[in-house]
Amino acid sequence: MEPRRALGAFLRSRRDRTQPDDVGVAARTGRRVPGLRREEVAALAGVSADYLRRVEQGRVLPSVDLLDALADALQLGAADRLHLEALADRARGRRRHRPPITAARPSLLRTLDALAPTPAVVLGRCCEVLAWNPTGAALDQAVAHRPPQERNVARRIVLEPSARELYPEWQALVQEVADVLRLNTARFPDDAALAALVDELIAGSRTFARCWDRLDVFEKSFGRKVLDHPLVGRLELTYEAFEIAPGSGQALLVYTAEPDSPTAQAIEELARIADGDSSAVRGPGSQVGAVR
């Protein structure tokens, strides 16, 4: 989609999902729109309703200040604002070519080793596994036993039926994958592999296609993941995500559990299993299964 139209469609989707009570607007009876009226958002942002209509149609590109005013009016969160800024940069022709990082530097590999037995994984902008420690690899054995160049978490979750058995909250996880990839496609519009992956997932999964059409975005910073692991049972994990290098799309995810919880005990057991099966996650002469 052309950048101005994409920006307008995104703003319209946020307007449709914002309720009057969310922004202190008195709700009137007989409303015919799912969220805020265009006139209501325009008043909050200090612009005319006609101007907002043209923005939503992709006919006008707001200035930085007006874009901030619209984001404030809709009370957009950090991920939504980041996405909006990326779309605006594309519309203004500010396209920085940022080649993907396909290897983890040695100090990062040592960090993964130091984190063990805590599960830790490094993902690229296409949700591909760049590196992990043995316990991180053991979380999803279907991915771990693939050749390094085929270890893609997004493709695994969305396209493989067995993923529904491992991830009991599969629908929500597919939505998260779609939202992460949408944010990344705006940040890295020149990444052909990323665009091809999105096309593949849309063609291969109706669920993903519906999630994609919601126009949501998600920046992986922290969250929750539940697995029904075939070896150690239910894992209720929380994760923290750390961007490896600014503007790279590469992130380190560290998974933890409440101390002394059943999940914490299961992770200890999984770590012992992973230590005995390290050949599945380590290539010849490599550290912690890093992509080289």
Side-chain angles (χ1 to χ4, degrees), residues 277-288:
D277 190 31
S278 61
S279 61
V281 297
R282 295 177 187 268
S286 69
Q287 298 183 54
V288 291

Side-chain angles (χ1 to χ4, degrees), residues 261-278:
S261 66
T263 294
Q265 297 171 14
I267 286 296
E268 292 179 2
E269 176 62 20
L270 189 62
R272 288 191 288 270
I273 294 171
D275 283 342
D277 190 31
S278 61

Side-chain angles (χ1 to χ4, degrees), residues 117 119 134-141 165-166 225-237 257 261-275:
T135 321
L139 290 177
D140 191 337
Q141 294 176 313
E165 301 173 8
L166 181 63
K225 182 170 286 187
V226 180
L227 299 86
D228 282 332
H229 199 279
L231 298 179
V232 297
R234 175 64 62 98
L235 298 174
E236 297 183 355
L237 299 165
S261 66
T263 294
Q265 297 171 14
I267 286 296
E268 292 179 2
E269 176 62 20
L270 189 62
R272 288 191 288 270
I273 294 171
D275 283 342

Side-chain angles (χ1 to χ4, degrees), residues 7 10-18 22-23 67-85 217:
L7 185 148
F10 183 69
L11 281 172
R12 173 63 188 270
S13 72
R14 301 308 95 176
R15 177 167 68 83
D16 287 345
R17 295 188 196 180
T18 304
D22 296 337
V23 294
L67 205 60
D68 284 343
L70 290 169
D72 289 342
L74 293 167
Q75 296 188 2
L76 298 187
D80 284 346
R81 288 174 183 267
L82 180 63
H83 185 61
L84 199 60
E85 291 169 4
V217 292

Side-chain angles (χ1 to χ4, degrees), residues 85-119:
E85 291 169 4
L87 291 174
D89 280 347
R90 286 178 57 190
R92 295 186 180 101
R94 299 173 182 169
R95 302 181 63 168
R96 303 175 184 173
H97 180 63
R98 297 168 176 168
I101 298 174
T102 58
R105 56 183 179 265
S107 59
L108 181 56
L109 298 178
R110 291 194 296 271
T111 300
L112 289 170
D113 269 337
L115 286 168
T118 299

Side-chain angles (χ1 to χ4, degrees), residues 86 90 94-96 184-192 194-195:
R90 286 178 57 190
R94 299 173 182 169
R95 302 181 63 168
R96 303 175 184 173
N184 284 349
T185 56
R187 296 176 66 196
F188 310 107
D190 297 321
D191 193 321
L194 179 57

